[in-house]
Amino acid sequence: MSAARAARPRFLSDRAQFALQAALLGVLAASGLLIAGQGNGYAAQLVFNVALSVLLATGWNVIGGMTGYVSFGQVSFFGLGAYAAAIGVLHLALPWPIAALLATAAATSLAVPLGLIMLRLNGIFFALGMFGLARILQIAANGLNITGGPMGTTVPAAEGPAFPAAVTVVIAAAAAGVVAALMRTRLGLRLMAIRDDPVAAEAAGVNVWLAKVAAFCIGAGFAAIGGALYVWNIGYLDPSSAFAGTIELQTVLMVLAGGIGTVWGPVGGGILMSLLGTVLWARFPMEQQIVLGALTMLIAVALPGGLMSLLPRRGWMARPPIWGPPREASEGTLLPAVRVAVADTPGPVLVCRNLGKRFGGVAAVDGVDLEVAPGEVLAVIGPNGAGKSTLFNLLSGFAVPSTGEVEFAGCKIANIRPYVLARRGVARTFQTSRLFPTLSVWENVLLAAISRHRRKAHAVAAATELLERMGLREDWARLPQGLPPGRRRLLEIARALALEPSVLLLDEAMAGMTGPEIAQVHQVLRAAAARGCAIVAIEHVLPAIAPLAARVQVLDFGRTIAEGAPAEVLHDPTVIAAYLGTDMAGTEFAHA
Amino acid sequence: MATFATLVVLGLLWGGVYLLMAEGLNLIYGVMKVVNLAHGDFIVLGGLLALTLFGRYGLSPVVAFPLAAALLFVIGAAVQGGVLERILLAKPEGELRTLLATFGLSYVVANTSFLIWGSQFQSIPFLQSAFAVGPIAVPQGLLACSLLAAALAVAVHAWLRHTAVGRAVRATAQSALGAAACGLNVRRLRIVTFALGAAMAGGAGALVIALVPFQTSSGGDLTVQAFTLIALGGLGSYLGAWLAAELLGITEVMAQYYLGSDAAAAVIYLVFIAVLVFRPQGLLGRTMRI
């Protein structure tokens, strides 16, 4: 306990940090309610606008900021919510609260199929695809006669803006609270990992699809409530205002100005930018959008992190580390680093036969047989372009073989998604290290640990133990870029081991490490192998892995050219020829 | 049958117009891997400029074409040199920041146009008669635009293939780092490319406003239309873009005729999303190098 306290003083405890943030949110909401309750219609309308902006920005941020899927059509769900609520009130004679709830539920459910389609896209394609979606919906609304087609319709509205303003303030504050809480859950951690690197997230056992669609639905839900509240307040609805590009621009600008991907960015940006928008609208109605557009450009160029990036990274407004800091490790609580169940199966745990992968006319892997038994360390070496990394992609489910098959623990892995394999016990590292740049060292390991452990206490204990063993404990709060290259490699191995794998695939994991770091890795790998973990290690050169490996398999041009104990393989003339080249022998280059 | 044949011919000609409107975006994407979201607003700006030149001085769109292109060239150079060059594309969030910056730019351009020209739909009456080829009536304006689009496509292609600057631009497209290592001024090449892409948008607008009326807020639709086309063609590919343009032209004309104009407007977006989801590599498979 005392050591844990000693490690903390640089930071507030995350509970204190959470309490402070909740208090600030409460103060903001209370001031909103006070102003709305004053009886001044103009002030109440202003509060409504500000709160609605915060709500929309917060919703956009869940998919655009936390998950990294920037959307130019989030207004689709605002419009859907608005239309669904209006139809509920007008044609089903529902009372407003029920219409709004049903509208939100309807838009959120619709987000599931839409998300399944749209989230196949990424980057610019997703952003513009969403823009297209909003336009399709707007055209559909033009053709909807029960809501007046393109001319729109009036809807029975609230009496005066005070009540809607108060309700919207409460909902916006709740939405911000939900996002703050989300950032401290498994889903939140997974979303941020997906934003940083979807491939590495998949390798760490994250069901990328499910997490993305969940985030899409949450963001859609917030936007849909906003749409319903908007109609309730204004009492009028038409396609061009329900699916307005202006709303999209303002939402994006608010999130960007406040700080994309943070809890407080959308709140602060929402408040500031909606006030600015209102002032501009009052003074310069014609020029308002020019100024907002120019501001978006300015922030994108000069302050991409928004206002939040001006605050200290570990200040009290920042995101507290998820489930941190690491607990005090004591020998008694250490968990086994590999699962015993698979290790007990007799025979090889990973087998591949006649495995091949062609890219166009090139056979990157061409009929490779490989097997590795529990507790065995197999080194795969070969010159550049020998097909080593492609082999790993095939073994870990990231690539589909053109010929042959892979069996893990007696089951064929064809058509098993990489994250499922990772959870079942095939862990891997990448040739160029793929850590999550915006997650702390601790969270990088924790992400994999939560794929393995259902219980929080177990995941925390396992992540703690791995940081301890790798000597990374002191660095738990740093970002990966803050570590020297060798220690980044250690962290990536720790992340793979946090899956408690039965098979560990290391892709040039020891490249760029110092001698003591290699010694540390050897120690950890020996411990893992001793408990039954099968290790397949690719290395460009043999010495880094030779002390551990009982067997070496040499690849060249996608085929196995030699196999055996390290010492014999190193003296095999075929291997020497593969590394040094046969064509060169006897030519003037060989003598040079 | 004659109706169908007419629709196909009209579709092919409209395809030329779509190509004209997408070529600038294709050039910029091909070289910088960046989508300029203000592209449609550049087209509208070029068109409205031609409108003013026609209204005030009675200049025909053919004369306005180089003038609009020249103005947009200057604007494009200023945007790339003054704003976008400050975002380092090498960084992972570079693409996103560029996208957001051009998203903001599109509002700046559209609303500045709105201040000058107002919000109503406007067009230029130009070459409005048609001549008959057998049973098919071919509108002259459409034919002129389509031919100009083809000429422009060939000219750009020739410029990229056969001039020193064009080759330098292609080198930058394939590897900016490699081009810089060969002593090319990559920054200047990017500015020239962006300016040229903007100029093509402006020139296209000056012609197209004679065919379809523009409104200052039409830019977003035109951007998506152009992007659909180059995505369908395989981003950065010229032959692919041309094929996609013809396909889109025929689809659009058919949808207009058989389903009505509202449905036709939705068709382009449906095609767009379908292309992105089912054929992200474009019509011709792998993206070809320019």
Side-chain angles (χ1 to χ4, degrees), chain A residues 70 72 117 120-121 124-125 128-129 131-132 135-136 139 245 249 252 256 286 289-290 293-294 296-297 300-301 304, chain B residues 37 83 86 95-97 99-101 104-105 107-108 111-112 115 221 224 227 235 262 265-266 269-270 272 276-277:
Chain A
V70 164
F72 290 141
I117 298 172
R120 289 175 55 124
L121 311 170
I124 170 75
F125 299 101
L128 282 179
F131 179 90
R135 300 288 290 126
I136 290 174
I139 291 165
L249 170 74
V252 172
L256 202 60
M286 308 294 273
Q289 294 204 25
I290 301 179
T296 306
M297 290 173 75
V301 170
Chain B
L37 291 179
V83 181
R86 289 172 202 273
E95 182 196 7
L96 173 64
R97 287 169 61 194
L99 209 57
L100 290 167
L105 176 66
Y107 280 85
V108 173
N111 289 285
T112 309
L115 283 185
D221 288 344
V224 171
F227 186 77
L235 294 161
D262 256 8
Y269 289 102
L270 288 174
F272 173 58
L276 293 187
V277 172

Side-chain angles (χ1 to χ4, degrees), chain A residues 19-92:
Chain A
L20 268 174
Q21 295 195 14
L24 175 63
L25 197 60
V27 168
L28 288 174
S31 9
L33 290 176
L34 271 177
I35 300 170
Q38 294 248 307
N40 176 338
Y42 178 79
Q45 183 59 42
L46 190 63
V47 170
F48 176 84
N49 291 346
V50 170
L52 184 65
S53 301
V54 170
L55 176 61
L56 294 179
T58 301
W60 190 93
N61 187 46
V62 173
I63 185 71
M66 280 178 77
T67 320
Y69 280 72
V70 164
S71 163
F72 290 141
Q74 200 61 11
V75 72
S76 300
F77 294 106
F78 177 85
L80 280 173
Y83 265 87
I87 291 170
V89 169
L90 281 176
H91 297 279
L92 305 174

Side-chain angles (χ1 to χ4, degrees), chain B residues 51-277:
Chain B
L51 179 84
T52 299
L53 291 175
F54 177 81
R56 288 261 179 87
Y57 310 105
L59 294 180
S60 96
V62 177
V63 184
F65 173 81
L67 295 176
L71 176 77
L72 267 296
F73 188 92
V74 174
I75 293 177
V79 167
Q80 179 66 28
V83 181
L84 300 182
E85 277 296 318
R86 289 172 202 273
I87 300 172
L88 281 178
L89 276 177
K91 288 205 175 172
E93 74 280 5
E95 182 196 7
L96 173 64
R97 287 169 61 194
T98 311
L99 209 57
L100 290 167
T102 59
F103 182 63
L105 176 66
S106 82
Y107 280 85
V108 173
V109 176
N111 289 285
T112 309
S113 305
F114 169 74
L115 283 185
I116 303 171
W117 286 284
S119 66
Q120 64 275 41
F121 275 103
Q122 297 178 86
S123 186
I124 300 176
F126 170 69
L127 288 183
Q128 285 179 315
S129 52
F131 57 87
V133 181
I136 300 167
V138 180
Q140 286 179 3
L142 192 56
L143 184 68
C145 282
S146 209
L147 291 177
L148 231 129
L152 203 63
V154 171
V156 169
H157 197 72
W159 177 73
L160 284 171
R161 289 270 148 197
H162 301 296
T163 68
V165 183
R167 270 196 293 272
V169 165
R170 274 165 55 216
T172 313
Q174 289 170 19
S175 166
L177 199 63
C182 294
L184 295 176
N185 185 343
V186 175
R187 183 186 133 86
R188 207 181 64 195
L189 285 169
R190 279 196 299 257
I191 294 176
V192 168
T193 307
F194 196 91
L196 207 61
M200 286 159 85
L207 295 174
V208 174
I209 197 169
L211 303 174
V212 262
F214 282 164
Q215 186 185 17
T216 46
S217 58
S218 309
D221 288 344
L222 294 176
T223 302
V224 171
Q225 190 183 58
F227 186 77
T228 309
L229 200 153
I230 66 169
L232 188 60
L235 294 161
S237 149
Y238 276 86
L239 187 60
W242 177 71
L243 274 177
E246 297 302 356
L247 202 68
L248 216 61
I250 293 175
T251 312
E252 173 98 359
V253 168
M254 297 283 177
Q256 284 269 6
Y257 184 81
Y258 291 109
L259 303 174
S261 64
D262 256 8
V267 161
I268 179 99
Y269 289 102
L270 288 174
V271 170
F272 173 58
I273 290 175
V275 167
L276 293 187
V277 172

Side-chain angles (χ1 to χ4, degrees), chain A residues 188-517:
Chain A
L189 179 56
R190 288 177 176 145
L191 294 179
M192 290 184 276
I194 291 170
R195 168 186 65 195
D196 282 1
D197 188 337
V199 173
E202 182 103 21
V206 174
N207 185 343
V208 173
W209 265 101
L210 191 66
K212 283 195 301 198
V213 173
F216 192 69
C217 289
I218 295 172
F222 288 1
I225 307 179
L229 290 168
Y230 167 82
V231 183
W232 179 41
N233 179 53
I234 203 167
Y236 176 75
L237 179 65
D238 73 326
S240 59
S241 58
F243 298 98
T246 318
I247 298 177
E248 197 68 42
L249 170 74
Q250 294 197 356
T251 308
V252 172
L253 174 60
M254 288 183 289
V255 177
L256 202 60
I260 189 165
T262 63
V263 172
W264 286 97
V267 177
I271 295 172
L272 284 178
M273 288 300 134
S274 58
L275 289 176
L276 176 70
T278 310
V279 170
L280 284 174
W281 182 249
R283 286 282 196 86
F284 310 102
M286 308 294 273
E287 295 85 355
Q288 186 215 26
Q289 294 204 25
I290 301 179
V291 177
L292 295 181
L295 212 53
T296 306
M297 290 173 75
L298 186 71
I299 294 170
V301 170
L303 192 65
L307 294 172
M308 285 296 287
S309 67
L310 300 175
L311 299 176
R313 194 174 78 83
R314 286 286 168 205
W316 69 272
M317 295 265 289
R319 177 174 72 81
I322 295 171
W323 298 356
R327 305 298 183 268
E328 192 52 16
S330 64
E331 283 301 321
T333 62
L334 289 190
L335 291 161
V338 288
R339 28 193 125 179
V340 180
V342 181
D344 281 347
T345 7
V349 61
L350 187 76
V351 181
C352 66
R353 290 182 212 96
N354 189 29
L355 196 63
K357 178 74 183 173
R358 302 187 72 86
F359 296 104
V362 183
V365 172
D366 189 7
V368 168
D369 296 319
L370 176 151
E371 59 176 62
V372 57
E376 191 188 8
V377 180
L378 169 67
V380 175
I381 65 167
N384 283 329
K388 303 182 300 273
S389 291
T390 307
L391 177 66
F392 262 31
N393 287 340
L394 295 170
L395 295 181
S396 54
F398 279 92
V400 181
S402 318
T403 61
E405 59 195 20
V406 181
E407 257 179 37
F408 165 62
C411 303
K412 290 188 178 121
I413 68 159
N415 303 323
I416 296 185
R417 299 281 306 276
Y419 83 89
V420 179
L421 268 182
R423 288 182 178 197
R424 290 196 190 159
V426 181
R428 69 168 293 176
T429 64
F430 292 90
Q431 189 179 1
T432 39
S433 104
R434 300 186 84 149
L435 293 162
F436 304 108
T438 68
L439 299 183
S440 63
V441 165
W442 164 249
E443 288 159 344
N444 264 279
V445 177
L446 188 65
L447 176 81
I450 62 172
S451 297
R452 174 71 186 105
H453 298 281
R454 285 184 180 276
R455 292 183 53 186
K456 174 179 169 180
H458 288 173
V460 167
T464 302
E465 187 209 321
L466 279 162
L467 285 191
E468 188 78 50
R469 286 183 175 206
M470 292 293 187
L472 287 164
R473 189 193 172 85
E474 293 305 306
D475 297 316
W476 71 275
R478 298 173 75 171
L479 294 178
Q481 297 101 304
L483 298 175
R487 294 172 71 73
R488 269 182 250 155
R489 291 285 188 181
L490 284 177
L491 178 57
E492 211 181 349
I493 296 173
R495 187 174 71 191
L497 282 173
L499 290 164
E500 293 179 8
S502 337
V503 175
L504 176 62
L505 306 169
L506 297 173
D507 196 346
E508 297 195 19
M510 281 167 266
M513 276 191 190
T514 61
E517 284 163 348

Side-chain angles (χ1 to χ4, degrees), chain A residues 167-179:
Chain A
V167 172
T168 311
V169 166
V170 172
I171 291 179
V178 165
V179 172

